[in-house]
Amino acid sequence: MNYRQLGRTGLQVSEVSFGTWAIGGSWGATDDQESLRALETAIDEGVNFFDTADVYGDGHSERLLAQATKGKEDRVHIATKFCRRGDIHDPATYAEEQVRAYCEDSLRNLQREAIDLYQVHCPPQAVLEDGRVFEVLDKLQSEGKIRAYGVSVESAEEGLICLRYPGVQALQVIFNLLRQKPLAELFPKAHAHGVGILVRLPLASGLLTGKFTKESRFEPDDHRSFNRNGESFNVGETFAGLPFEKGVELADELRWIAEGRGTMARAAQRWILDSPEISCIIPGFKNKAQLQENLLTLDTPGFSTEEQERLQRFYSEQVAPHIRGPY
């Protein structure tokens, strides 16, 4: 395993870390025993960082992580998120009393005395511009409830707003071959501020595995079905904001990246890690086999300058015009 600095947090995190949305819910059926076996495998392989949220299965993924990391709290770091259990547009959701309640609930679920990285979970831009939630987080940090805090954002613009606040030490962003906008401005500025970057949805909800066809179908409780057009939350969280059928077409044109790199999934994630500003990728998983496939990214060859330029042209000319929602 390779490790990178997570901004100014003092944490060294595994380049390939993991998100736990899929094992908590909203990605179809789950199997807790299989999830726990996968988590155990990850830790044995040197993965020392996991991302979760209080709404993933209503705390279920937090409780699974508590079980998997029991006795290993000093060497396995956990990031969790808050605000989406309430009305994200209501200022009371970000008031001290409510944020404390969210924090205490997550601490109980995680069975920990402190949260390594506490993140505001994709709030409206107005909340970030207001900034009062960061004063609450400063207080929790001074009390030792949280060790560091950051924000999970939906767009590059939101990320740039977060950089105005000196206490923000990490940003979680959607970034992949089908959503490259953060490269232009956000990543260089975050690096200059010493802010770590966590990359979620590195495979664009599975598009970049190359396994889907336009006829692919998903279970009703999978967000790739119920949020395909942003019906339940930001459309960018599903297929990187692309219409599914168009996303399949675009992914098909990227099959060449797998040449000499094993699979499209490994290649797509290797491309992300080629950016030095990235702290880690946090792909999801539902079983041990998927987790092990993601770990093979570590042994995957990187991309040449010519290949990088080809991929950036492809994005700007063929992908970007089709992305929906703010990004």
Side-chain angles (χ1 to χ4, degrees), residues 27 201-212 218 224 239 244 251:
W27 290 76
L201 299 172
L203 297 176
S205 304
L207 282 175
L208 291 169
T209 65
K211 296 177 180 178
F212 297 157
F218 304 92
R224 293 173 292 186
F239 303 125
F244 176 67

Side-chain angles (χ1 to χ4, degrees), residues 104-285:
E104 294 293 347
D105 285 346
S106 285
L107 286 169
R108 277 191 293 273
N109 285 338
L110 293 167
Q111 298 177 32
R112 293 195 171 209
E113 295 182 357
I115 295 168
D116 295 306
L117 177 66
Y118 203 35
Q119 303 160 100
V120 195
H121 194 175
C122 300
Q125 185 169 315
V127 170
L128 301 175
E129 291 172 336
D130 173 81
R132 280 178 287 185
V133 67
F134 300 121
E135 297 174 9
V136 176
L137 292 171
D138 283 334
K139 188 173 291 188
L140 292 177
Q141 187 176 24
S142 70
E143 295 170 5
K145 297 285 187 183
I146 62 177
R147 295 194 170 95
Y149 65 81
V151 187
S152 181
V153 297
E154 300 285 12
S155 69
E157 182 181 359
E158 290 175 355
L160 291 168
I161 292 169
C162 292
L163 295 180
R164 301 174 191 168
Y165 301 96
V168 172
Q169 294 183 314
L171 293 174
Q172 185 179 139
V173 303
I174 303 170
F175 178 62
N176 54 58
L177 281 166
L178 300 175
R179 197 177 176 100
Q180 299 184 29
K181 186 176 179 180
L183 273 172
E185 185 177 8
L186 180 58
F187 286 178
K189 288 190 174 180
H191 182 71
H193 282 76
V195 172
I197 297 290
L198 314 176
V199 172
R200 71 183 186 274
L201 299 172
L203 297 176
S205 304
L207 282 175
L208 291 169
T209 65
K211 296 177 180 178
F212 297 157
T213 68
K214 292 182 180 181
E215 289 70 43
S216 295
R217 296 294 179 265
F218 304 92
E219 297 175 56
D221 60 347
D222 189 320
H223 76 100
R224 293 173 292 186
S225 177
F226 70 75
N227 193 61
R228 185 169 291 200
N229 297 302
E231 296 90 338
S232 297
F233 40 82
N234 190 287
V235 69
E237 300 288 347
T238 305
F239 303 125
L242 292 166
F244 176 67
E245 291 77 11
K246 187 63 181 179
V248 171
E249 288 180 17
L250 293 167
D252 282 345
E253 294 189 42
L254 288 172
R255 291 188 180 277
W256 65 269
I257 66 174
E259 296 172 12
R261 298 185 178 94
T263 67
M264 276 187 71
R266 294 177 214 166
Q269 294 182 105
R270 179 70 259 170
W271 176 82
I272 295 171
L273 290 175
D274 280 351
S275 294
E277 302 94 342
I278 303 301
S279 301
C280 66
I281 55 174
I282 47 172
F285 64 96

